Amino acid sequence: MSPHYLSRDIQVELAQIAQSIATPGKGILAADEHAAIIESRFSPMDIQNNEENRRYYRQMLFRTKECSQYLSGIILCHETFYHKTDDDDIPFPRLLNEMGIMPGITVDRGLIILGGTDNETTTQGLGGLEERCREYKKNGAQFAKWRALIKISPTCPSQLAINENASKLARYASICQQCALVPIVEPEVSLEGDHDLEQCQRVTEQVLATVYKALSDHHVYLEGTLLKPNIVTPGINCAKKYTIEQIAEATVIAFRRTVPTAVPGIMFLSGGHNEENSTAYLNAINRVQLYKPWVLSFSYGRALQTSVLRAWKGNKNNSEQARKEFMRLTRQNGLASLGQYEISA
Ligand code: 13P
């Protein structure tokens, strides 16, 4: 019996997708908030969280002219993946493919508590994953996302949480690749807490080293993957202040120590940092004077949408203003992914 290694054709396809998402100057919009999460984005702006508002909002974003100049991929949730445009009935994945933007799909099913730990979590969703991946691929998806969350506290992360999450990410990545979907591997080290920059760097390195060992153990083809990590920063309640340059350097050093050069792109999450900081950090990361063998770009959710939602307010008459905000943010982050963002830009 031959082992189920990936065929040469699938390897070529995966590497092409991953490389095209990691195009210099472009990044990913994470528009995969499911109904419960979008509630936390809509309600502060007094936007009603119903299915048509969710569909209309995504259509407004996706149909922003020229956003493909700065976006190579958009991640959708299950509901949005099957939504269509209202005027010509085009399924969103097809719309994006036609615009030259790769459609992706979140395939995990959220976090659950890891028993016997200090409220650490693991991610569920491996059951039936292969069937779901094949269906998404058939309907136009090119890549997938699975998010694991690691928290920092005096007792966390435990070795159990790190190992468990690394192993789930690796199993997920292996299944995706068998179905010709590029897995985005997202081990997010949480911003919550009062830890300092050095501790975030240590934990991020430990997590990434464990994740890449697990990916290797699971025979994951690294050229056909993307990493979606946190930026290395102090915790949100840390008393000590650091410069943007210190944050950028700690981030690049952590990745140089742990992420193989075969990985084409590192696409950061914004993780609760505001729009200004998310752009400034990405820009500074790309300006660090150290050898960086990967494309370093964005896969932002909140940092690409907060001002857009504030402008839109759930009112169709504000769509043009909302799109202007969306273009401003995508452009700024596109420039930052090249280290070319200037505050006045
Ligand atoms: P944020 O950029 O808002 O953290 O979202 C990115 C994401 O997809 C988290 O899984």
Side-chain angles (χ1 to χ4, degrees):
M1 216 173 64
S2 65
H4 287 277
Y5 288 130
L6 295 173
S7 69
R8 186 75 201 130
D9 285 354
I10 291 198
Q11 288 188 7
V12 168
E13 183 178 350
L14 290 169
Q16 277 171 353
I17 296 169
Q19 265 163 33
S20 126
I21 295 171
T23 296
K26 295 191 183 192
I28 298 173
L29 164 69
D32 59 334
E33 305 90 347
H34 55 71
I37 297 288
I38 206 86
E39 171 68 23
S40 67
R41 312 284 191 260
F42 276 11
S43 68
M45 316 287 174
D46 280 332
I47 302 168
Q48 230 197 327
N49 183 16
N50 56 48
E51 187 169 352
E52 176 48 18
N53 267 353
R54 294 193 293 271
R55 193 205 62 77
Y56 180 89
Y57 171 61
R58 267 64 181 252
Q59 174 175 293
M60 180 179 78
L61 295 181
F62 304 164
R63 281 232 161 120
T64 302
K65 245 169 87 195
E66 311 202 327
C67 67
S68 62
Q69 211 180 322
Y70 305 107
L71 292 179
S72 51
I74 295 183
I75 317 173
L76 311 173
C77 65
H78 182 84
E79 179 185 82
T80 312
F81 191 83
Y82 289 103
H83 277 159
K84 297 178 177 173
T85 56
D86 46 18
D87 46 359
D88 42 12
D89 247 15
I90 303 178
F92 283 168
R94 204 178 99 208
L95 175 74
L96 295 178
N97 271 319
E98 285 173 6
M99 291 169 70
I101 297 176
M102 299 243 172
I105 177 79
T106 286
V107 296
D108 72 61
R109 292 194 154 153
L111 306 175
I112 42 164
I113 295 293
L114 194 51
T117 67
D118 182 10
N119 281 320
E120 295 182 279
T121 54
T122 184
T123 305
Q124 54 190 347
L126 286 178
L129 182 59
E130 182 172 345
E131 293 69 29
R132 287 189 284 129
C133 283
R134 291 204 188 285
E135 194 61 27
Y136 290 134
K137 179 78 187 184
K138 203 173 77 191
N139 286 294
Q142 310 277 17
F143 68 102
K145 183 189 112 173
W146 177 287
R147 172 174 176 259
L149 186 69
I150 300 288
K151 63 173 193 165
I152 302 182
S153 78
T155 54
C156 304
S158 64
Q159 196 59 50
L160 172 67
I162 295 175
N163 293 346
E164 158 70 14
N165 280 293
S167 150
K168 287 263 162 64
L169 280 165
R171 181 72 191 116
Y172 139 82
S174 166
I175 293 170
C176 283
Q177 291 196 327
Q178 295 288 344
C179 303
L181 286 178
V182 163
I184 291 199
V185 174
E186 182 178 2
E188 172 178 355
V189 175
S190 171
L191 181 59
E192 298 300 318
D194 58 6
H195 51 274
D196 60 15
L197 180 66
E198 291 72 18
Q199 195 177 358
C200 181
Q201 184 182 334
R202 268 194 304 277
V203 170
T204 302
E205 287 177 10
Q206 193 188 354
V207 167
L208 291 174
T210 312
V211 165
Y212 281 101
K213 173 69 168 76
L215 293 175
S216 167
D217 290 344
H218 282 253
H219 313 289
V220 171
Y221 172 63
L222 292 183
E223 289 81 349
T225 64
L226 293 165
L227 178 66
K228 174 163 174 161
N230 51 290
I231 297 169
V232 174
T233 68
I236 197 155
N237 296 320
C238 176
K240 195 168 162 194
K241 297 292 166 227
Y242 298 85
T243 64
I244 290 173
E245 287 70 28
Q246 285 173 315
I247 285 170
E249 192 175 271
T251 302
V252 173
I253 290 173
F255 294 114
R256 278 165 49 96
R257 289 177 178 166
T258 53
V259 182
T261 56
V263 175
I266 298 180
M267 321 297 281
F268 293 100
L269 58 97
S270 59
H273 294 295
N274 65 31
E275 291 169 348
E276 290 74 21
N277 283 345
S278 301
T279 307
Y281 294 153
L282 181 60
N283 198 50
I285 285 167
N286 278 289
R287 288 187 182 185
V288 170
Q289 294 293 311
L290 288 169
Y291 178 57
K292 308 181 288 296
W294 337 263
V295 164
L296 292 154
S297 191
F298 60 92
S299 175
Y300 290 162
R302 282 161 287 181
L304 283 175
Q305 297 183 68
T306 309
S307 293
V308 180
L309 287 166
R310 198 174 293 129
W312 178 51
K313 296 190 187 76
N315 182 341
K316 288 187 185 180
N317 296 331
N318 297 332
S319 299
E320 272 324 294
Q321 191 51 37
R323 282 183 167 138
K324 269 195 197 139
E325 286 298 305
F326 185 52
M327 266 319 280
R328 177 179 68 78
L329 293 169
T330 51
R331 177 170 178 277
Q332 286 179 357
N333 286 297
L335 290 173
S337 74
L338 299 169
Q340 291 173 2
Y341 173 67
E342 304 294 339
I343 303 292
S344 58

